[in-house]
Amino acid sequence: KAGVTQTPRYLIKTRGQQVTLSCSPISGHRSVSWYQQTPGQGLQFLFEYFSETQRNKGNFPGRFSGRQFSNSRSEMNVSTLELGDSALYLCASSLGLAGDNEQFFGPGTRLTVL
Amino acid sequence: DQQVKQNSPSLSVQEGRISILNCDYTNSMFDYFLWYKKYPAEGPTFLISISSIKDKNEDGRFTVFLNKSAKHLSLHIVPSQPGDSAVYFCAASAKRSGAGSYQLTFGKGTKLSVIP
């Protein structure tokens, strides 16, 4: 069974641009959660999608948004990029809602904002 | 305000000895705790979990202890092996009222180095 895949693996953008990251969960998993990992803050929860609906949202500005498609694939978008958005963005999938179920993480997308 | 704290950014242990990784939390609503292990260039992988109704959970070389009164949990690895060298994240969740979904809050991680 294929694991969680994330594309692209690496991305370089400049301030003010916008970016879209993609996550394909494990087949059969209906929940996708997104996290931001930085050296100073560790892993911070962005949001969780389940059955195409956002179920949970962390404390991030509205520039961070996401969506989930009917096949459970998810995208996350960051608009008006800032230098501080440089981070590793991790996606995790689970059979049901996160917290009730084990989450499986993808390898992440390394975003660098110049 | 960090609700889950891992105060040791790094830890070095000799192969064969015990590794003890610590985690403190402040939110008394947390009722489920997990440990994840992360190798470079890979996503975190689930290691072991414990519910607040228990004070110990064991899985092979890994044991997690929970002290609810102290709001403290620890992960013991015995015996430590070089392959255990990784960053370990502690995470906690609490049921959000009305939402029916748990949000995981992670610590900043502890980098464990097991020296052969």
Side-chain angles (χ1 to χ4, degrees), chain A residues 11 24 27-28 35 54 57 75 81 87 94:
Chain A
L11 205 48
S24 292
S27 177
Y35 296 85
Q54 187 180 90
K57 192 176 189 305
E75 286 181 349
L81 283 166
S94 53

Side-chain angles (χ1 to χ4, degrees), chain B residues 30 52 66 89 91 94 107 114:
Chain B
F30 285 149
S52 61
L66 175 62
F89 290 96
V114 179

Side-chain angles (χ1 to χ4, degrees), chain A residues 9-10 35 37 39-43 45 48 55-58 88 90 97-100 102-107, chain B residues 2 32 34 36 38 41-47 87 89 93 96 99-109:
Chain A
R9 291 294 310 277
Y10 302 91
Y35 296 85
Q37 185 187 1
Q41 297 298 321
L43 271 162
F45 172 76
E48 177 189 7
R55 294 302 185 104
N56 250 323
K57 192 176 189 305
L88 179 68
L90 290 159
L97 290 169
D100 286 330
E102 181 182 344
Q103 288 188 299
F104 295 82
F105 283 82
Chain B
Q2 268 235 298
Y32 188 57
L34 309 91
Y36 281 82
K38 185 180 186 298
E42 294 182 14
T45 54
F46 170 77
L47 197 55
V87 177
F89 290 96
S93 69
R96 291 167 63 84
S101 177
Y102 296 73
Q103 174 181 322
L104 276 183
T105 301
F106 283 82
K108 292 186 180 181

Side-chain angles (χ1 to χ4, degrees), chain A residues 30-56:
Chain A
R30 295 171 64 192
S31 168
V32 173
S33 297
W34 288 90
Y35 296 85
Q36 180 195 66
Q37 185 187 1
T38 56
Q41 297 298 321
L43 271 162
Q44 291 188 288
F45 172 76
L46 280 154
F47 28 66
E48 177 189 7
Y49 285 87
F50 181 83
S51 295
E52 301 178 65
T53 304
Q54 187 180 90
R55 294 302 185 104
N56 250 323

Side-chain angles (χ1 to χ4, degrees), chain B residues 63-107:
Chain B
T63 303
V64 56
F65 295 93
L66 175 62
N67 182 334
K68 288 185 290 293
S69 60
K71 293 191 178 67
H72 176 83
L73 66 155
S74 60
L75 173 68
H76 292 209
I77 306 173
V78 184
S80 302
Q81 299 173 354
D84 296 329
S85 297
V87 177
Y88 289 78
F89 290 96
C90 166
S93 69
K95 190 167 186 178
R96 291 167 63 84
S97 59
S101 177
Y102 296 73
Q103 174 181 322
L104 276 183
T105 301
F106 283 82

